[in-house]
């Protein structure tokens, strides 16, 4: 029970931290845009920085492949590994370590490597699919900071909870509860109130 409570508190700390960084970043972007820098240039530079993750991920993959963990300075714990093959070209990997069993279902056609991670080609395809939408979303977000306040920008951006809830119900099999609906409607009500109050000023 203590572990669950600690994880819950840690999760809240992460959410508050992300929200604080997000709002601070919005003020920075607004000040840069107000200084005359193009929102498109800001968006392009920010999205280009994602390339920094490529060598980081490659280093992580290398350490995992060589040492089995990122904490390579610790003693490598012994683990027994059994690979079972069936007729459908699927691989079930049973990893036994510290008395715990972990079963990883793999399929060659699903773009997974021997460790159950996405292959580089699969990651590249997903990047190409998401990139235009992400760039357009960031561009419109940065453009909005040119024409409105950070308050309106942040609150209206948080209205995505409604669309996330609806899409999750339709496509992801999210379980509907009245508490979730009430929470989303409460969030939308706050969005409307703050936006109306901010528009008057």
């Amino acid at each position: 029970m203590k572990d669950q409570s600690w994880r819950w508190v840690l999760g809240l700390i992460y959410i508050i931290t992300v929200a604080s960084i997000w709002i601070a970043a919005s003020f920075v972007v607004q000040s840069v845009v107000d200084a005359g820098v193009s929102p498109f240039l800001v968006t392009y530079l920010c999205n280009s920085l994602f390339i920094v993750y490529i060598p980081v991920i490659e280093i992580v993959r290398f350490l995992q492949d060589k040492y089995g963990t990122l904490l390579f300075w610790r003693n490598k714990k012994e683990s027994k590994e059994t690979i079972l093959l069936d007729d459908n070209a699927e691989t079930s990997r049973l990893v036994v370590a510290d008395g715990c069993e972990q079963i990883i279902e793999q399929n060659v056609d699903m773009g997974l490597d021997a460790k159950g991670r996405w292959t580089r080609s699969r990651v590249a395809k997903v990047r190409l699919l998401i990139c235009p939408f992400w760039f357009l979303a960031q561009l419109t977000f940065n453009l909005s900071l040119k024409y409105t306040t950070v308050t309106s920008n942040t609150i209206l951006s948080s209205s995505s909870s409604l669309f996330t809830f609806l899409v999750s119900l339709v496509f992801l099999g999210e379980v509907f509860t009245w508490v979730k609906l009430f929470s989303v409607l409460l969030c939308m009500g706050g969005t409307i109130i703050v936006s109306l109050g901010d528009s008057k000023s």
Side-chain angles (χ1 to χ4, degrees):
M1 189 64 184
K2 289 182 178 179
D3 184 55
Q4 290 181 350
S5 300
W6 167 245
R7 289 170 63 88
W8 183 75
V9 171
L10 187 62
L12 288 180
I13 292 173
Y14 284 148
I15 291 174
I16 293 171
T17 303
V18 170
S20 302
I21 294 172
W22 185 275
I23 294 171
S26 298
F27 278 107
V28 172
V29 171
Q30 187 178 50
S31 64
V32 170
V33 171
D34 288 342
V37 179
S38 169
F40 182 87
L41 179 61
V42 173
T43 306
Y44 179 79
L45 291 176
C46 290
N47 282 273
S48 297
L49 290 175
F50 280 118
I51 200 170
V52 174
Y53 287 119
I54 295 177
V56 173
I57 293 300
E58 289 302 319
I59 292 172
V60 170
R61 279 178 175 261
F62 172 77
L63 293 176
Q64 287 178 340
D65 291 339
K66 187 170 183 179
Y67 300 102
T69 178
L70 293 177
L71 307 177
F72 58 90
W73 56 86
R74 292 187 178 178
N75 293 331
K76 188 176 181 181
K77 296 182 179 178
E78 295 182 1
S79 64
K80 298 177 182 178
E81 198 172 87
T82 306
I83 301 176
L84 304 173
L85 295 175
D86 62 14
D87 296 333
N88 297 325
E90 292 183 353
T91 302
S92 297
R93 185 180 293 270
L94 175 63
V95 180
V96 182
D98 300 329
C100 300
E101 295 184 358
Q102 181 181 8
I103 299 175
I104 302 175
E105 294 292 337
Q106 295 176 249
N107 191 317
V108 177
D109 296 331
M110 294 186 67
L112 301 177
D113 64 7
K115 293 185 179 292
R117 302 171 304 193
W118 282 19
T119 59
R120 292 177 179 86
S121 60
R122 185 181 184 188
V123 172
K125 290 176 183 177
V126 173
R127 286 173 181 163
L128 290 173
L129 178 65
I130 294 176
C131 180
F133 298 103
W134 180 265
F135 187 88
L136 184 62
Q138 288 299 115
L139 178 61
T140 52
F141 183 89
N142 293 336
L143 273 172
S144 70
L145 289 171
K146 184 177 182 179
Y147 298 107
T148 188
T149 63
V150 174
T151 304
S152 288
N153 175 284
T154 304
I155 295 297
L156 289 172
S157 296
S158 66
S159 66
S160 60
S161 59
L162 174 64
F163 303 103
T164 303
F165 180 62
L166 295 177
V167 170
S168 297
L169 288 176
V170 176
F171 296 106
L172 301 180
E174 178 81 21
V175 179
F176 174 84
T177 63
W178 289 105
V179 174
K180 292 178 183 177
L181 179 61
F182 178 74
S183 301
V184 171
L185 293 177
L186 196 64
C187 179
M188 294 301 297
T191 299
I192 294 171
I193 291 171
V194 172
S195 299
L196 288 176
D198 193 50
S199 64
K200 293 179 180 179
S201 61

